[in-house]
Amino acid sequence: CSLWNEGTQVFAAAHLELALQELRMLTATLTAALGFSPGVTRLPNGFAGTALSQHALTPVASRSAASSGLESVLAPLLEQQQQQQQQRRALRAPSAAMVATGGMGGGLFTQSNPEDRRVVPDEPGDRQIFKVVYVVLESQYQSSLSTACKRINAGQEKVAVECSGYILEELRDPANFEQFKKDVADANIFIGSLIFVQELADKVVEAVEPYRETMDAVCVFPSMPAVMRLNKIGSFTMASMGQSKNVMLDFMKKNKPSGTSFQDGMLKLVRTLPKVLKFLPGDKAKDARSFMMSLQYWLGGSPENIEALLLNLASTYVFESDLLTGEVVEPPTVIPDQGIWHPVAPRVFETNEEYIQWLRNEHAPTIGVDPNKAPVIGVVLQKSHINTKDDAHYVALIMEIEANGGLVLPIYTGSLDFSKPIEDYFFLNGRSVVDTTINLTGFALVGGPATQDHPKAIATLKKLNRPYLCAVPATFQTFEEWKDSELGLHPVQVALQVALPELDGAIEPIIFAGRDGVTGRSIPQSDRIETLAKRAIKWSNLSAKKNADKKVAITVFSFPPDKGNVGTAAYLNVFGSIFEALKTMKAEGYDLGAELPTDVEGLVDAVLHDKEASMASPTLNVAYSMSVAEYKELTPYAEDLEENWGPPPGQLNTDGQNLLVYGVRFGNVFIGVQPSFGYEGDPMRLLYAKSASPHHGFAAYYTYIEKVLEADAVLHFGTHGSLEFMPGKQVGMSGGCYPDRLIQSTPNLYYYAANNPSEATIAKRRSYANTISYLTPPAENAGLYKGLKEVGELISSYQGLRESRGASIVNSIVATARTCNLDKDVDLPSEDFDTAELTLDERDIIVGKVYSKIMEIESRLLPCGLHTVGVPPTAEEAIATLVNIASIDRPEDEIDGLPRILARSVGRDIEDIYRSANAGNLDDNLLSENIKEAIRAAVRASVERSTDAAGRVTEVNPMMASLGAVLGGGSPMLSALKKQGFDKVQDPDLEKLFGYLEFCLKQVVADNEMGALIEGLNGEYTLPGPGGDPIRNPLVLPTGKNMHALDPQAIPTIAACDCAKVMVDRLLERQVAEEGEYPESIAFVLWGTDNIKTYGESLAQVLWMVGVRPLPDSLGRVNQIEAIPLEELGRPRVDVVVTCSGVFRDLFINQMNLLDRAVKLVAELDEPLDQNFVRKHALEQAEEFGVSVRDAATRVFSNAAGSYSANVGLAIENGGWEGEQQLQEQFTSRKGFAFNADRPGILDDKADMFKSSLKKVDVTFQNLDSSEISLTDVSHYFDSDPTKVVGSLRTDGKKPSSFVADTTTANGQVRTLSETVRLDARTKLLNPKFYEGMLKSGYEGTREITKRLRNTMGWSATAGAVDNFVYEDANDVFIADEEMQKRLLETNPNAFRDMVTTFLEANGRGYWETSEENLDRLRQLYAEVDDKIEGL
């Protein structure tokens, strides 16, 4: 009587309705037959199993079975089981194509067959038949409905039922949808529940609405409003509820629990039904009572309750006379609304005192667990699974935890506010009684698939203060489909059941169960349940163990793999931060051994052994040497790596015989160096469309942490390593995915840059990281230097002497600007031209344009230095941050930025000032600069009031309250502004803005980065918070939060669409001005982090380009679109080719769906081809490839599932590329996987379509959205830039235009790519303020400078966008200056050697023309540095 998943031996034991004596007989018989011992059962080979009890068996027999003997029950069950196995075998034979592509047949996420659950009476005879059709989001009701219908057919003499049922996701299949419509047309009763996916809700309405009036009853439980309006129970309808005064609706509005769902409101209404119904007319009261009783039956969930639901509706609304066999429909049988449910407990407990007494005194001794030592895992369950007895997955996890020595406190509620049972049951005398919490419901803690209350959830979880894991049942796919899919979890489920719980602070979205394709029942996933149980217990041990006994593995990165790059992390002083962490840990009682380094330099030397040593040397930096035999024994998947890397030990992290783990131990703390990907320098591997597995050395590193060191936690230090980007599913790891295999059961704490929520989210979902955000360095103005400073001084003198000596000064300005290469950005007179021939106004225009350019450079925001964890920002750093925050308008908070306030005070609009200054107007350039200086002065005045003698802000004083204000002189900020000439501003104008800045200052200085680490190691809850740009969104602060992204269905926002239109219009205006016509096609790059920071601006740009408007659904989720009429658009629809980063693909696949639907929508519009370039190109490609126009309109591309980047950055960073052709082939082969909204379960390899679309591109386009990360800070931007790819594909030999939208300031700009690279070089690589700030960080700073140079060369390789002077000036700064040479060599010789190599490579590849003298110096330097490193 058990159903099992073939090949895994996981039992989902069936619930049988037997008398207590028969149940005991059955349990004893099966236990003996299967060789189980009494008590907790473990299946063979370590598989998780279920206990055989009254709670672990499933009702499949008819009522007559309740009084029959064991023999009569087993026979039909076994026969049924054999039939189901045969059906399963047919379903579970995936085709080769399915396995190879990683998607479902036809590209859909599920291929389960609704016909498998169709119920028809075997012998209807002359009985009257009523027909039922149902659609549900989740499948737990499927078995109860099927059983209920079979019971009716077996037990009723005069009536019988036909039932057809659908899982909501199945309606995507056109054949299923057509059958659904036919079934609905013949139905008497329609039932729907939790229909919260907009496009599928539309399908339900489309099918049901035409037959609503002819059906006898339509019963829809909580769903989208349009679906709820289908309700019709006699005279009771939801439609009428919204049209007039209605007691029921008013009651629900007034009495709905705060922050919870419509379902909670209805539950409260059910409990208070008598009070409401007395206000309704008689017939309406009867029909309303029928609806509420139906809801109560539905929530009861068992086959008996569902049977009663169907019979009640049939007797009341289908049949005119009572045809039911002489019995009254039973009232709903329900367990308490909330309680504590354990599968072997004698009853549901309603107080935790009673449950804990039973657990400690009866259950724990029975299973051999010491209740005084065992960790207690709190588990949150969904009541519907208990009601429907679809609880095998719950039982399996509970038993697995207990088999691993833990105890379980399993709670449930019928509401969708799970915070209430946590408050009621997880606390005893005000203290938490659980060590870890696992939410198994798949929903956010408060709310459901429609509405959530995250602040309430966070408050509850913070009070509980325990790790909060949210495991996921794969409900939108069968478990076989999930396993076979390379994408993994269904995108809708990712949005509802992964992204939303993350906003509560949830971690570890492990798939612990899947839907059976035939029965719909939840099948426990044995290896996932084992992993989940072990990880929960490991988290629990952190709060139980003494700090002195805990072992912690701190992991640093080396990327690219080289001695000079150990400790790589974005804008983080890694070794300085680790040193601070070690000091804090020692103070907290951790065992760090006897000899801890006394300074950062000592720590660097201890980890690297010798900074000048080669990473290839097998005798250095070795913390552990692992024999091949030990490696194979401890690494069960080692053999799987041989396909890519051969037998161990391989060529990496080895001495030829053993596998080497690099690092050093200080007592119980290990600091190790994570191995590299391994294929960085291999041109052939870089070309592979899909990424290779980790190499043996990588696997050995994590095997050492888990099995040899037996670490209690691992701390990955900084953004970012390779673990989370190893091959595997996008979301919803299986036991075969490498991130899961590598991290095993070790809790993973991960310091991640606060401005990078997208990749942090990948780390959370794929490597189970509890992220801790760290602050990036504050951004300061880049300033002017050398010749640029001289130009600025000349312009200052011109202002006072423009009429007397203006011509000669302008001649000097022009000459000096040329020496600074500003003639590449500003149209200057020729070298021999005398500006005396010009009028005064004409000279003003020249000076204004030069001034505009140098002010653009001067005011460019520049992150200075590297951040150190545990060191809060100084007052100066706080001022730099607040200046940028004060400069932005915040219409959502009704706060004007200070630039707008100051412009208004002089009778101007700030947009007009920006526009005029950009055009070169000297007066407005001067005014714009004066506004900037005034903002700095005012913010400084506000912060100085809170600055202590040490130059730090320890306590924030109210900004608008001061003695000066009391005495009538105004605030310090007002005084500062008046000194700058803005004397018409008054304090009331400033009050709202500076009140906001006061809040922001408190966030800036409220650092909790080190505190969050200690809390995590203590097994406590880490407060969640958004990631992104702290300037745009100060709620990113304070750092030290468990970072999350955003609800992926919330973008693009209206504000993002407005900003997108501005930038697209500016781009098109510039292209038309330069080329004389609109571009026909533009290549976009979409990034995950950028769209999180801007709430979807670049996503909205793509939509505006093709002329499509995004629309929210009735719940505010952006998942609908409409074409903008050409008359309103006012221009042609421009075609697009969208390259999505792998991270964007993982986080926003729903938005990829939106984009693909938008392109297909406009491609199918009947419009003139000269006004619709999307359709023009789609028609051409339809003919080229022999496909439909819809299929030809494929424009949304990314990597294959589980793969990331084009590997162009890897090739350039490691020098392992033969030529630009190789880079271009890498781009098209790795980025040519297409998303198709008609087949959303698969990314097809469409490299030919990708190339065909790129061939038509006129413009390439990217976005910059924050000051911290620009074009040369990371390799990502050039890695995904298709400029030279397009040039090589175009048949006319024309190079595309390349533009970059820069929205890092309020004055957004569209520049050419070359302009942006020059701006980046002038403000960073060539700027003393930047490189001197970096050099203060020593070893890491030198590496950061070298990285900027290498990334600059990347733009030469992929776009030809780097001017010769950039290399020449960089050579003058870093190579020609002997003192600078010495500094670089002493701080990081390996990074300096890489810098010299980059210069030589740039020359060798034709990107830099220079003198033979410079090249000789570089060659000599390389030899000297190389000898020094090798110890010669």
Side-chain angles (χ1 to χ4, degrees):
C1 52
S2 59
L3 311 172
W4 64 82
N5 165 15
E6 295 171 4
T8 65
Q9 303 178 31
V10 178
F11 283 74
H15 284 264
L16 300 175
E17 290 183 296
L18 302 171
L20 182 58
Q21 184 60 42
E22 288 182 321
L23 176 64
R24 287 174 180 158
M25 289 170 54
L26 175 64
T27 302
T29 303
L30 292 179
T31 299
L34 296 173
F36 295 149
S37 59
V40 177
T41 59
R42 288 293 305 272
L43 292 183
N45 303 321
F47 291 114
T50 62
L52 300 174
S53 73
Q54 71 266 33
H55 293 290
L57 305 171
T58 308
V60 290
S62 66
R63 277 186 196 172
S64 60
S67 57
S68 67
L70 179 62
E71 183 178 347
S72 63
V73 175
L74 287 178
L77 283 171
L78 291 172
E79 182 180 352
Q80 182 186 32
Q81 175 187 315
Q82 290 171 348
Q83 293 172 352
Q84 290 167 334
Q85 288 172 357
Q86 291 170 356
Q87 290 174 305
R88 257 191 227 99
R89 289 191 187 101
L91 281 176
R92 292 177 185 164
S95 67
M98 281 172 59
V99 175
T101 58
M104 298 302 101
L108 299 174
F109 275 90
T110 184
Q111 289 293 295
S112 56
N113 188 355
E115 289 301 311
D116 289 332
R117 63 185 75 97
R118 186 178 295 274
V119 176
V120 295
D122 294 331
E123 298 179 359
D126 58 357
R127 290 184 293 176
Q128 293 195 39
I129 295 175
F130 67 100
K131 296 182 179 181
V132 176
V133 178
Y134 69 86
V135 179
V136 290
L137 177 75
E138 297 182 299
S139 62
Q140 62 261 43
Y141 279 90
Q142 176 185 328
S143 180
S144 286
L145 278 155
S146 297
T147 303
C149 291
K150 291 175 182 177
R151 290 163 62 100
I152 291 172
N153 291 336
Q156 293 294 321
E157 297 177 359
K158 298 180 181 181
V159 300
V161 62
E162 288 184 14
C163 180
S164 55
Y166 295 81
I167 306 302
L168 184 61
E169 187 61 27
E170 292 168 345
L171 298 185
R172 291 188 191 276
D173 187 309
N176 286 345
F177 183 56
E178 287 304 312
Q179 185 60 49
F180 172 61
K181 289 194 289 186
K182 291 178 182 176
D183 288 336
V184 167
D186 295 334
N188 299 98
I189 297 171
F190 173 78
I191 298 173
S193 178
L194 295 182
I195 300 171
F196 282 112
V197 181
Q198 179 66 52
E199 60 266 35
L200 299 179
D202 293 341
K203 286 178 176 288
V204 171
V205 173
E206 177 187 340
V208 176
E209 194 168 45
Y211 302 100
R212 176 178 178 273
E213 294 305 319
T214 59
M215 278 192 277
D216 297 302
V218 177
C219 205
V220 179
F221 305 119
S223 295
M224 299 285 287
V227 186
M228 292 295 295
R229 283 195 291 271
L230 295 173
N231 265 301
K232 187 196 76 167
I233 309 293
S235 61
F236 174 86
T237 71
M238 291 290 182
S240 64
M241 288 175 70
Q243 297 172 359
S244 61
K245 178 70 175 174
N246 188 284
V247 176
M248 187 176 294
L249 181 61
D250 288 346
F251 178 88
M252 291 175 67
K253 283 182 177 179
K254 293 174 183 176
N255 293 277
K256 189 178 83 169
S258 174
T260 53
S261 67
F262 179 65
Q263 177 167 336
D264 292 309
M266 287 205 289
L267 287 172
K268 188 167 185 178
L269 187 56
V270 167
R271 289 192 291 268
T272 55
L273 199 59
K275 299 177 185 177
V276 178
L277 296 181
K278 66 182 181 182
F279 293 104
L280 297 176
D283 59 333
K284 288 187 182 259
K286 182 193 77 168
D287 295 330
R289 182 183 294 107
S290 291
F291 176 79
M292 289 302 168
M293 289 297 289
S294 297
L295 173 63
Q296 202 165 9
Y297 280 126
W298 182 258
L299 296 175
S302 67
E304 298 89 345
N305 281 312
I306 301 301
E307 179 185 11
L309 162 65
L310 297 178
L311 292 176
N312 186 50
L313 290 175
S315 65
T316 308
Y317 300 103
V318 178
F319 302 117
E320 294 182 359
S321 59
D322 188 6
L323 300 177
L324 301 185
T325 300
E327 58 182 282
V328 178
V329 175
E330 297 290 333
T333 303
V334 296
I335 60 176
D337 281 345
Q338 68 173 38
I340 305 174
W341 172 91
H342 191 288
V344 299
R347 60 189 173 86
V348 170
F349 296 92
E350 295 190 69
T351 69
N352 58 6
E353 291 94 338
E354 291 178 300
Y355 176 78
I356 291 171
Q357 184 177 357
W358 171 82
L359 185 70
R360 294 177 62 88
N361 298 336
E362 297 183 39
H363 186 58
T366 302
I367 61 176
V369 172
D370 184 348
N372 296 314
K373 295 181 179 179
V376 178
I377 312 298
V379 178
V380 182
L381 309 175
Q382 215 173 330
K383 183 170 181 273
S384 60
H385 280 282
I386 300 171
N387 285 334
T388 60
K389 299 181 174 62
D390 180 23
D391 55 23
H393 53 322
Y394 291 169
V395 175
L397 177 63
I398 291 170
M399 297 304 157
E400 185 67 24
I401 291 171
E402 292 179 345
N404 278 276
L407 294 174
V408 185
L409 203 170
I411 62 172
Y412 73 85
T413 178
S415 160
L416 288 175
D417 180 358
F418 299 101
S419 67
K420 187 177 187 308
I422 285 181
E423 294 271 7
D424 291 345
Y425 301 133
F426 283 2
F427 293 93
L428 190 61
N429 300 323
R431 298 185 62 181
S432 169
V433 294
V434 300
D435 300 300
T436 294
T437 299
I438 308 176
N439 183 346
L440 298 183
T441 70
F443 292 121
L445 192 69
V446 181
T451 59
Q452 300 81 38
D453 187 343
H454 300 295
K456 183 178 182 182
I458 292 168
T460 298
L461 293 168
K462 180 57 182 172
K463 179 182 175 184
L464 188 65
N465 202 24
R466 292 291 183 264
Y468 176 56
L469 285 59
C470 199
V472 183
T475 55
F476 285 72
Q477 305 136 281
T478 67
F479 65 89
E480 294 101 335
E481 289 167 337
W482 162 72
K483 284 180 178 177
D484 291 340
S485 170
E486 288 183 1
L487 293 176
L489 202 60
H490 189 292
V492 174
Q493 195 168 2
V494 172
L496 292 178
Q497 298 186 319
V498 177
L500 293 179
E502 284 173 348
L503 304 184
D504 295 339
I507 56 175
E508 309 209 2
I510 296 172
I511 308 300
F512 75 103
R515 172 168 60 87
D516 183 82
V518 176
T519 67
R521 304 191 70 78
S522 297
I523 303 297
Q525 299 298 297
S526 59
D527 72 310
R528 303 291 76 216
I529 283 176
E530 185 179 1
T531 295
L532 178 58
K534 286 181 177 178
R535 293 191 63 81
I537 287 175
K538 272 277 196 93
W539 275 110
S540 299
N541 290 341
L542 287 174
S543 59
K545 262 192 176 183
K546 293 180 180 178
N547 287 347
D549 297 330
K550 293 177 188 173
K551 294 179 180 178
V552 180
I554 297 176
T555 297
V556 300
F557 314 120
S558 177
F559 191 82
D562 181 84
K563 195 72 173 204
N565 291 322
V566 174
T568 309
Y571 283 118
L572 184 66
N573 182 342
V574 172
F575 285 109
S577 298
I578 292 175
F579 187 71
E580 293 296 323
L582 293 178
K583 289 194 299 184
T584 302
M585 291 173 71
K586 187 170 185 178
E588 291 288 327
Y590 286 81
D591 177 6
L592 272 72
E595 297 183 5
L596 191 65
T598 57
D599 56 24
V600 176
E601 193 70 18
L603 178 62
V604 173
D605 287 337
V607 175
L608 304 187
H609 190 71
D610 177 355
K611 282 184 299 187
E612 297 168 7
S614 167
M615 277 287 288
S617 173
T619 59
L620 297 173
N621 314 320
V622 177
Y624 188 77
S625 180
M626 184 180 294
S627 70
V628 171
E630 182 184 21
Y631 166 68
K632 286 184 172 181
E633 179 185 353
L634 299 179
T635 312
Y637 55 90
E639 190 174 330
D640 296 346
L641 311 185
E642 295 186 17
E643 179 184 356
N644 286 299
W645 303 101
Q651 304 297 316
L652 300 165
N653 290 69
T654 178
D655 58 7
Q657 293 182 322
N658 302 297
L659 290 147
L660 304 180
V661 177
Y662 292 113
V664 64
R665 279 190 70 167
F666 299 109
N668 282 339
V669 176
F670 164 66
I671 302 175
V673 182
Q674 185 189 73
S676 67
F677 279 109
Y679 51 77
E680 293 87 352
D682 186 335
M684 290 306 297
R685 290 188 191 274
L686 292 173
L687 277 168
Y688 292 164
K690 298 181 181 181
S691 300
S693 66
H695 57 80
H696 295 295
F698 202 102
Y701 180 83
Y702 283 95
T703 293
Y704 168 77
I705 289 174
E706 172 90 4
K707 303 283 181 63
V708 180
L709 180 65
E710 296 181 332
D712 293 287
V714 61
L715 170 61
H716 288 93
F717 223 101
T719 307
H720 57 73
S722 307
L723 171 66
E724 60 267 36
F725 296 102
M726 284 296 172
K729 300 181 189 298
Q730 288 179 200
V731 185
M733 300 294 101
S734 72
C737 296
Y738 284 106
D740 181 277
R741 284 176 154 183
L742 291 159
I743 196 63
Q744 300 176 75
S745 68
T746 309
N748 181 12
L749 300 168
Y750 206 142
Y751 272 124
Y752 236 92
N755 66 353
N756 194 349
S758 61
E759 289 179 319
T761 302
I762 300 300
K764 287 163 72 79
R765 295 177 184 176
R766 303 188 86 241
S767 66
Y768 311 142
N770 180 12
T771 58
I772 302 172
S773 61
Y774 66 82
L775 197 62
T776 51
E780 301 176 14
N781 288 87
L784 299 176
Y785 55 92
K786 299 180 181 177
L788 296 172
K789 186 175 182 181
E790 185 180 343
V791 172
E793 292 169 348
L794 285 168
I795 291 174
S796 295
S797 65
Y798 173 77
Q799 296 169 39
L801 302 171
R802 57 194 288 268
E803 296 188 8
S804 58
R805 296 179 49 209
S808 63
I809 295 175
V810 172
N811 288 337
S812 297
I813 289 171
V814 170
T816 308
R818 283 188 180 280
T819 64
C820 297
N821 297 289
L822 291 177
D823 56 315
K824 300 185 181 300
D825 301 282
V826 180
D827 186 15
L828 297 176
S830 60
E831 294 183 35
D832 56 355
F833 182 79
D834 187 354
T835 58
E837 300 177 21
L838 301 176
T839 65
L840 184 61
D841 287 343
E842 289 171 333
R843 286 198 294 270
D844 279 355
I845 290 173
I846 292 172
V847 174
K849 287 182 177 179
V850 174
Y851 189 63
S852 176
K853 178 54 61 176
I854 66 167
M855 286 300 99
E856 180 181 63
I857 296 169
E858 190 276 339
S859 61
R860 182 81 165 172
L861 297 176
L862 175 69
C864 289
L866 299 172
H867 176 68
T868 301
V869 170
V871 179
T874 64
E876 285 298 318
E877 291 168 338
I879 289 169
T881 300
L882 290 185
V883 164
N884 299 320
I885 292 174
S887 300
I888 297 177
D889 293 331
R890 302 182 190 275
E892 67 279 7
D893 297 315
E894 299 182 342
I895 298 174
D896 287 338
L898 202 45
R900 188 170 302 281
I901 293 171
L902 297 182
R904 190 186 302 129
S905 75
V906 295
R908 297 287 302 279
D909 179 76
I910 191 64
E911 304 297 341
D912 291 338
I913 296 173
Y914 288 151
R915 197 174 298 111
S916 175
N918 292 340
N921 182 288
L922 181 59
D923 289 339
D924 280 342
N925 267 294
L926 293 171
L927 175 57
S928 178
E929 183 60 21
N930 194 27
I931 287 173
K932 293 174 189 174
E933 292 299 327
I935 293 170
R936 293 172 193 165
V939 170
R940 179 175 297 279
S942 71
V943 174
E944 282 178 347
R945 302 192 62 254
S946 301
T947 306
D948 61 21
R952 295 190 180 275
V953 178
T954 52
E955 183 179 350
V956 177
N957 295 313
M959 290 185 176
M960 294 305 296
S962 69
L963 181 62
V966 173
L967 298 176
S971 67
M973 294 78 74
L974 188 65
S975 300
L977 291 174
K978 288 184 175 180
K979 288 179 182 177
Q980 293 292 133
F982 294 96
D983 50 11
K984 293 185 179 179
V985 179
Q986 300 298 320
D987 269 333
D989 303 326
L990 306 175
E991 189 168 359
K992 197 166 189 178
L993 172 63
F994 278 90
Y996 183 73
L997 293 180
E998 180 184 319
F999 159 78
C1000 292
L1001 180 59
K1002 291 176 181 177
Q1003 304 307 300
V1004 169
V1005 300
D1007 164 60
N1008 189 43
E1009 294 170 0
M1010 196 64 73
L1013 170 61
I1014 299 303
E1015 290 162 6
L1017 291 174
N1018 287 342
E1020 298 176 12
Y1021 172 73
T1022 305
L1023 275 175
D1029 183 358
I1031 307 303
R1032 290 175 183 261
N1033 181 14
L1035 293 178
V1036 169
L1037 305 170
T1039 45
K1041 294 176 180 175
N1042 182 9
M1043 196 172 18
H1044 58 69
L1046 42 72
D1047 180 354
Q1049 298 180 103
I1051 64 170
T1053 62
I1054 294 174
C1057 290
D1058 292 341
C1059 293
K1061 181 180 183 303
V1062 171
M1063 300 314 293
V1064 167
D1065 290 348
R1066 288 181 183 176
L1067 167 65
L1068 294 177
E1069 286 168 8
R1070 180 157 183 179
Q1071 179 71 1
V1072 169
E1074 294 182 4
E1075 299 294 331
E1077 60 184 359
Y1078 282 102
E1080 291 197 6
S1081 181
I1082 294 181
F1084 277 80
V1085 182
L1086 296 187
W1087 300 100
T1089 289
D1090 293 12
N1091 277 281
I1092 292 171
K1093 291 178 182 176
T1094 64
Y1095 297 94
E1097 278 184 23
S1098 56
L1099 173 67
Q1101 288 170 357
V1102 177
L1103 294 172
W1104 181 249
M1105 196 68 76
V1106 299
V1108 167
R1109 182 181 290 116
L1111 299 171
D1113 64 19
S1114 52
L1115 297 176
R1117 301 176 305 195
V1118 183
N1119 51 30
Q1120 300 184 97
I1121 51 173
E1122 67 176 10
I1124 301 169
L1126 285 172
E1127 297 75 19
E1128 180 184 343
L1129 192 61
R1131 59 164 174 82
R1133 302 186 194 277
V1134 179
D1135 199 2
V1136 294
V1137 183
V1138 183
T1139 305
C1140 302
S1141 73
V1143 175
F1144 184 94
R1145 173 206 63 207
D1146 286 1
L1147 300 186
F1148 297 117
I1149 200 163
N1150 292 294
Q1151 277 61 35
M1152 291 173 71
N1153 184 301
L1154 200 71
L1155 292 175
D1156 187 66
R1157 285 162 48 205
V1159 173
K1160 285 176 165 53
L1161 172 67
V1162 298
E1164 293 178 323
L1165 293 175
D1166 185 12
E1167 294 177 339
L1169 299 188
D1170 64 346
Q1171 293 297 302
N1172 187 336
F1173 298 134
V1174 181
R1175 180 168 177 78
K1176 175 185 175 182
H1177 297 157
L1179 287 168
E1180 293 170 357
Q1181 289 172 300
E1183 184 175 350
E1184 177 185 354
F1185 292 101
V1187 298
S1188 67
V1189 170
R1190 186 172 180 84
D1191 284 340
T1194 297
R1195 297 291 185 271
V1196 183
F1197 298 88
S1198 186
N1199 294 85
S1203 294
Y1204 300 84
S1205 89
N1207 281 350
V1208 171
L1210 284 176
I1212 288 174
E1213 286 162 345
N1214 291 276
W1217 53 293
E1218 296 171 359
E1220 291 179 0
Q1221 184 63 31
Q1222 176 197 321
L1223 303 181
Q1224 292 162 20
E1225 288 175 7
Q1226 285 178 207
F1227 179 85
T1228 53
S1229 67
R1230 287 184 61 84
K1231 287 292 185 181
F1233 289 79
F1235 181 87
N1236 186 340
D1238 297 333
R1239 304 172 66 232
I1242 183 173
L1243 288 173
D1244 286 313
D1245 187 350
K1246 294 285 186 181
D1248 290 342
M1249 182 70 77
F1250 189 36
K1251 292 176 183 177
S1252 173
S1253 300
L1254 287 171
K1255 189 185 300 183
K1256 299 173 174 57
V1257 164
D1258 300 305
V1259 175
T1260 63
F1261 184 68
Q1262 294 207 51
N1263 284 272
L1264 291 176
D1265 61 87
S1266 67
S1267 59
E1268 299 104 322
I1269 301 177
S1270 190
L1271 291 185
T1272 60
D1273 291 317
V1274 293
S1275 62
H1276 302 57
Y1277 287 115
F1278 71 76
D1279 180 273
S1280 290
D1281 185 82
T1283 302
K1284 282 192 175 180
V1285 176
V1286 170
S1288 69
L1289 291 173
R1290 287 186 67 107
T1291 55
D1292 59 5
K1294 181 182 176 183
K1295 181 182 177 182
S1297 304
S1298 297
F1299 291 101
V1300 176
D1302 183 345
T1303 57
T1304 57
T1305 65
N1307 184 18
Q1309 300 285 315
V1310 173
R1311 304 186 183 92
T1312 67
L1313 177 57
S1314 295
E1315 287 172 346
T1316 309
V1317 172
R1318 286 195 292 271
L1319 180 61
D1320 221 36
R1322 286 167 173 150
T1323 54
K1324 290 185 178 173
L1325 183 64
L1326 305 177
N1327 187 354
K1329 192 170 186 178
F1330 171 78
Y1331 60 72
E1332 290 295 345
M1334 285 297 173
L1335 285 172
K1336 290 178 182 176
S1337 298
Y1339 169 86
E1340 279 127 330
T1342 301
R1343 181 188 63 231
E1344 289 293 320
I1345 296 168
T1346 298
K1347 182 172 78 173
R1348 298 311 186 287
L1349 178 66
R1350 177 65 68 167
N1351 290 342
T1352 299
M1353 191 182 72
W1355 285 109
S1356 292
T1358 60
V1362 185
D1363 294 283
N1364 200 71
F1365 84 84
V1366 173
Y1367 293 111
E1368 196 72 18
D1369 287 3
N1371 179 74
D1372 291 343
V1373 171
F1374 301 112
I1375 303 300
D1377 184 337
E1378 291 188 6
E1379 183 61 31
M1380 178 62 76
Q1381 283 181 31
K1382 183 179 178 182
R1383 293 172 66 190
L1384 296 169
L1385 182 61
E1386 288 177 350
T1387 53
N1388 192 328
N1390 283 273
F1392 183 52
R1393 178 174 61 177
D1394 188 37
M1395 177 184 286
V1396 173
T1397 302
T1398 304
F1399 278 116
L1400 289 170
E1401 187 179 351
N1403 173 260
R1405 294 188 185 276
Y1407 303 144
W1408 174 38
E1409 294 182 11
T1410 191
S1411 67
E1412 197 61 34
E1413 177 187 356
N1414 282 339
L1415 294 175
D1416 286 342
R1417 183 191 298 115
L1418 286 164
R1419 296 184 191 112
Q1420 181 64 29
L1421 263 177
Y1422 182 87
E1424 291 174 4
V1425 178
D1426 201 48
D1427 286 349
K1428 183 176 177 62
I1429 289 173
E1430 299 301 328
L1432 301 177

